[in-house]
Amino acid sequence: MSQRQVLQVFEQYQKARTQFVQMVAELATRPQNIETLQNAGVMSLLRPLLLDVVPTIQQTAALALGRLANYNDDLAEAVVKGNILPQLVYSLAEQNRFYKKAAAFVLRAVGKHSPQLAQAIVDCGALDTLVICLEDFDPGVKEAAVWALGYIARHNAELSQAVVDAGAIPLLVLCIQEPEIALKRIAASALSDIAKHSPELAQTVVDAGAIAHLAQMILNPDAKLKRQVLSALSQIAKHSVDLAEMVVEAEIFPAVLTCLKDKDEYVKKNASTLIREIGKHTPELSQLIVNTGGVAAMIDCIGSCKGNIRLPGIMMLGYVAAHSENLAMAVIISKGVPQLSVCLSEEPEDHIKAAAAWALGQIGRHTPEHARAVAVTHTLPVLLSLYMSTESSEDLQVKSKKAIKNILQKCTHLPALEPLLHDAPPNILKYVVGQFSKVLFPWIFRYTSAESGQLSTTY
């Protein structure tokens, strides 16, 4: 055979390998092909191709593995058991940018499924290599590495701490300052996934200077970036008064209120969540929200959306109202009660109804004036029907009963109580009758209370 004929054999072999990995990568994009590929032993066939002499074959083999591992945890487990991870980690440090992106994609696809699989990635030394990739010149490599780190960190505090210990936080903060929008998005998401687990991890993010940079992007025109920025700030603010105050000090108000009017529903939801996480901590932080027009803006937002998008806003009104009489009155003056009553009546999901019932109870529990503001919206019969309905979830029944009790113990507006005389069960009726006795026979009530030595509002 001539030299050309000999070389032709190798060329054909290379062509066949190339066609094979390209076809597998293509087939792996369709869910209906995954089981067939798995049964055919595709994982063991792809593994040696990761070390192929041809770079494009290596890259495509890694891409195919990532797509397969991304599909379910069985295939991701096969990547771990096949001892493929050390190979990928080594290649991350040594290969070109195309292979780095593909290898990081495999790590991300494996790590997303469970804490155990994410731990396997940590155990093979991937974090240090991924962190090095955050300093790569190519934005695509950085983005792929951030994806992988975020998917590892999101599972639990221990894995997040491992990401922190590898030195990722300062580089993630640098990534949110890069010009590429896609890189900003995923870096903000990764910071959110780290901060969510504990006050200590959130403090680590804060200490790296993340809040100021995140706050500057609240009004960025890119909706997906705003979602992640608002989420990250929420995950920081939720843990403690100090962290919430640090977020507020970055001057997020009134800019964050603009997000409540955003066209993107998830920007609205995440902005509502951020305001809720700030307001829940102290009366002072809630008062700040009231002073900047946050309560009125939130009520408008609740009126403009449906379902789970409303939920954090409903809860925020409840948290604000719970703090004090004056803050509850601010919710009433801003016409929050009618909007919450609408949510209670119209929302099909029990957990949203439960949140609305809880919020109304927090508003009405302070004084007769507060209770009247809730009662005149015909909320009490709705709460009673939800409490008595066998179709209501246990949580909805509990919160409806508690709200009825809170409101009834302060309500002296008899026309609002009359419908309950006919329909209420004995355990609720005693509160209704008690309120009638307080209004119609106050001298008896005062005498009884004085005799027993108990407060007149105790039943």
Side-chain angles (χ1 to χ4, degrees):
M1 295 177 72
S2 66
Q3 184 181 2
R4 177 170 178 77
Q5 288 173 313
V6 172
L7 292 174
Q8 195 171 10
V9 174
F10 286 91
E11 288 170 4
Q12 288 173 344
Y13 178 49
Q14 179 177 320
K15 186 177 180 181
R17 298 197 313 277
T18 303
Q19 288 176 335
F20 174 75
V21 290
Q22 287 176 344
M23 186 56 69
V24 169
E26 177 63 27
L27 290 169
T29 60
R30 301 184 185 93
Q32 64 268 28
N33 297 329
I34 300 295
E35 188 176 350
T36 307
L37 288 168
Q38 187 176 7
N39 293 337
V42 70
M43 304 300 274
S44 58
L45 294 172
L46 287 172
R47 186 190 170 197
L49 296 175
L50 291 170
L51 297 174
D52 200 277
V53 292
V54 182
T56 55
I57 294 176
Q58 292 180 9
Q59 294 153 26
T60 313
L63 178 63
L65 274 172
R67 287 175 178 172
L68 289 163
N70 195 52
Y71 184 72
N72 65 35
D73 51 358
D74 287 340
L75 287 162
E77 187 75 42
V79 172
V80 175
K81 289 180 177 176
N83 207 30
I84 292 170
L85 292 180
Q87 213 166 293
L88 290 168
V89 173
Y90 173 78
S91 300
L92 262 176
E94 301 294 326
Q95 296 284 1
N96 63 39
R97 60 195 174 101
F98 301 106
Y99 190 92
K100 286 179 180 179
K101 283 189 273 188
F105 173 59
V106 180
L107 295 175
R108 157 191 163 187
V110 171
K112 80 171 193 177
H113 291 289
S114 70
Q116 293 76 24
L117 288 168
Q119 187 63 52
I121 294 172
V122 175
D123 293 342
C124 74
L127 292 183
D128 290 337
T129 313
L130 286 168
V131 169
I132 290 169
C133 287
L134 295 181
E135 299 183 271
D136 198 276
F137 179 75
D138 184 79
V141 173
K142 288 181 184 176
E143 186 184 339
V146 175
W147 271 106
L149 290 167
Y151 270 64
I152 292 166
R154 68 175 50 180
H155 290 294
N156 57 45
E158 291 74 21
L159 288 164
S160 281
Q161 189 63 54
V163 172
V164 171
D165 292 343
I169 299 292
L171 294 170
L172 289 171
V173 173
L174 287 174
C175 285
I176 61 173
Q177 300 171 62
E178 294 284 352
E180 291 80 15
I181 290 292
L183 181 55
K184 285 178 182 285
R185 287 178 194 157
I186 192 57
S189 175
L191 289 170
S192 177
D193 285 330
I194 292 166
K196 72 182 181 182
H197 296 292
S198 71
E200 293 76 20
L201 286 164
Q203 189 65 54
T204 306
V205 173
V206 172
D207 291 343
I211 290 178
H213 297 294
L214 290 166
Q216 290 171 4
M217 294 186 284
I218 285 175
L219 295 180
N220 190 287
D222 184 79
K224 290 180 180 178
L225 176 57
K226 279 190 285 191
R227 290 181 197 174
Q228 302 302 340
V229 165
L230 293 164
S231 173
L233 291 170
S234 301
Q235 299 294 2
I236 293 168
K238 75 179 185 181
H239 292 292
S240 69
V241 177
D242 289 342
L243 288 168
E245 287 177 346
M246 287 180 187
V247 172
V248 170
E249 286 165 7
E251 299 181 354
I252 63 165
F253 291 101
V256 71
L257 302 182
T258 306
C259 296
L260 296 175
K261 301 176 183 177
D262 201 273
K263 291 183 289 186
D264 186 277
E265 294 284 82
Y266 288 97
V267 170
K268 285 183 182 179
K269 183 181 180 182
N270 290 1
S272 300
T273 303
L274 173 55
I275 298 167
R276 179 193 73 191
E277 298 298 354
I278 291 168
K280 75 179 184 182
H281 289 293
T282 65
E284 291 75 20
L285 286 169
S286 281
Q287 188 65 57
L288 172 71
I289 293 168
V290 171
N291 293 346
T292 56
V295 167
M298 187 66 76
I299 292 164
D300 290 342
C301 177
I302 293 171
S304 70
C305 53
K306 302 287 183 186
N308 280 316
I309 307 300
R310 278 176 161 175
L311 183 58
I314 293 169
M315 293 176 69
M316 173 264 181
L317 294 178
Y319 279 127
V320 170
H323 284 304
S324 71
E325 292 179 16
N326 289 339
L327 287 166
M329 188 54 68
V331 176
I332 292 169
I333 292 168
S334 298
K335 298 184 169 51
V337 173
Q339 190 60 66
L340 289 170
S341 299
V342 168
C343 296
L344 188 70
S345 302
E346 292 184 356
E347 281 295 334
E349 298 287 338
D350 277 7
H351 67 284
I352 301 174
K353 288 179 183 285
W358 171 77
L360 287 163
Q362 297 306 310
I363 294 168
R365 72 183 178 87
H366 292 287
T367 69
E369 188 180 1
H370 290 80
R372 180 188 176 111
V374 176
V376 296
T377 60
H378 306 291
T379 295
L380 287 171
V382 178
L383 286 168
L384 182 63
S385 67
L386 291 171
Y387 166 60
M388 296 176 65
S389 173
T390 55
E391 295 180 1
S392 295
S393 67
E394 184 181 350
D395 183 54
L396 177 55
Q397 290 176 333
V398 169
K399 285 191 167 62
S400 296
K401 181 184 178 183
K402 182 67 174 174
I404 293 168
K405 183 179 175 182
N406 283 345
I407 297 162
L408 284 180
Q409 286 181 330
K410 294 294 181 182
C411 186
T412 56
H413 184 60
L414 299 187
L417 300 180
E418 285 177 12
L420 275 63
L421 287 171
H422 307 289
D423 302 323
N427 62 331
I428 299 295
L429 189 60
K430 65 181 180 181
Y431 298 116
V432 180
V433 173
Q435 292 308 106
F436 269 90
S437 69
K438 281 168 65 176
V439 176
L440 298 178
F441 310 107
W443 59 275
I444 295 176
F445 190 79
R446 284 197 298 271
Y447 175 77
T448 305
S449 298
E451 285 291 307
S452 64
Q454 294 178 338
L455 292 171
S456 60
T457 53
T458 303
Y459 297 95

